[in-house]
Amino acid sequence: MSDKLKNAKIIFVVGGPGSGKGTQCEKVVAKYGYTHLSSGDLLRAEVASGSERGKNLSAIMQRGELVPLDTVLDMIKEAMIAKADVSKGYLIDGYPREVKQGEEFEKKIGPPSLLLYIDAKSETMVKRLMKRGETSGRADDNEETIKKRLDLYYKATEPVIAFYEGRGIVRKIDSEGSVDDVFSNVAKAVDSLK
Ligand SMILES: Nc1ncnc2c1ncn2[C@H]1C[C@H](O)[C@@H](COP(=O)(O)OP(=O)(O)O)O1
Ligand SMILES: [Mg+2]
């Protein structure tokens, strides 16, 4: 476990692609002063940098697959340490994608206090992603890759929720409503940490 992050409040934000994780995290940042770390955004920044590591990642992400565990975790940890002095807590968005990633995170960084499970129906997620794809410029916001990402989500990520349910830290948030309705429930969950 890392020293600088020893007492950090950590929230895992888990949900399917397009469920609204990023949208809700931005609102938590504004209201609570948390630091939002999206593993996908960190990876996309690496790709945009044009580095050799980025080129490898780019191919994997375009196939809708998961990138190697150590790569993502190192990037998250670096970003957390960089913010350790100013952050009220951390939103870890889109990670863990599979149970093993959660276990490694806890070994290298520490345990989460809460897991926000952002839950939307798969039709809703597809609809939102297709719409987002009109402007996002994301190589994975297309119909074929969306289907693969959803399949992988149900197979690999849903077990993550079951794993943390065993510890009693999961708060399930219905994400079918408007952004503000969803946020009112997110805020209740975050408030419960204080
Ligand atoms: N409650 C909501 N109602 C309608 N649209 C929403 C919504 N939450 C998010 N969206 C929109 C914003 C994005 O264009 C798209 C995906 O949201 P996102 O926050 O990028 O999802 P994620 O980060 O989980 O992939 O859906
Ligand atoms: Mg996102």
Side-chain angles (χ1 to χ4, degrees):
M1 198 189 283
S2 168
D3 226 29
K4 255 198 142 179
L5 300 172
K6 209 170 49 186
N7 298 312
K9 261 191 219 164
I10 295 167
I11 301 179
F12 284 165
V13 184
V14 175
S19 59
K21 300 180 297 296
T23 302
Q24 294 301 321
C25 284
E26 287 312 314
K27 294 182 75 76
V28 174
V29 169
K31 179 161 182 189
Y32 296 94
Y34 273 55
T35 296
H36 174 207
L37 295 174
S38 154
S39 55
D41 288 349
L42 290 171
L43 293 165
R44 283 184 287 277
E46 185 76 33
V47 170
S49 79
S51 69
E52 206 49 45
R53 181 161 82 167
K55 280 179 201 149
N56 275 323
L57 293 172
S58 164
I60 297 170
M61 287 158 75
Q62 266 190 47
R63 293 196 298 268
E65 295 169 4
L66 298 181
V67 308
L69 191 153
D70 290 338
T71 311
V72 197
L73 194 51
D74 289 347
M75 290 168 75
I76 292 174
K77 187 173 175 182
E78 271 166 41
M80 287 178 78
I81 289 173
K83 292 279 185 164
D85 295 330
V86 295
S87 188
K88 296 270 193 281
Y90 297 93
L91 296 157
I92 309 298
D93 165 6
Y95 187 101
R97 285 288 224 277
E98 54 189 359
V99 172
K100 185 149 186 289
Q101 290 189 351
E103 291 170 339
E104 289 301 311
F105 184 101
E106 296 196 38
K107 273 190 222 153
K108 285 200 188 170
I109 299 170
S113 317
L114 180 69
L115 185 152
L116 286 177
Y117 166 24
I118 309 296
D119 183 39
K121 290 187 284 203
S122 76
E123 305 93 83
T124 304
M125 294 192 270
V126 172
K127 216 187 292 165
R128 288 179 186 169
L129 289 174
M130 292 300 289
K131 183 107 183 44
R132 185 175 79 181
E134 290 168 12
T135 54
S136 70
R138 280 179 53 163
D140 57 357
D141 281 347
N142 64 76
E143 201 161 0
E144 196 191 330
T145 311
I146 288 169
K147 195 181 167 308
K148 285 194 194 148
R149 289 157 69 205
L150 278 173
D151 286 348
L152 186 57
Y153 168 70
Y154 288 115
K155 199 168 84 195
T157 309
E158 283 212 321
V160 171
I161 296 160
F163 179 79
Y164 287 102
E165 237 150 26
R167 276 200 220 164
I169 63 165
V170 173
R171 290 285 293 260
K172 182 173 176 175
I173 308 288
D174 180 351
S175 187
E176 289 289 326
S178 72
V179 170
D180 287 342
D181 285 346
V182 176
F183 185 65
S184 73
N185 290 317
V186 167
K188 275 182 212 153
V190 176
D191 283 335
S192 76
L193 280 185
K194 287 191 271 183

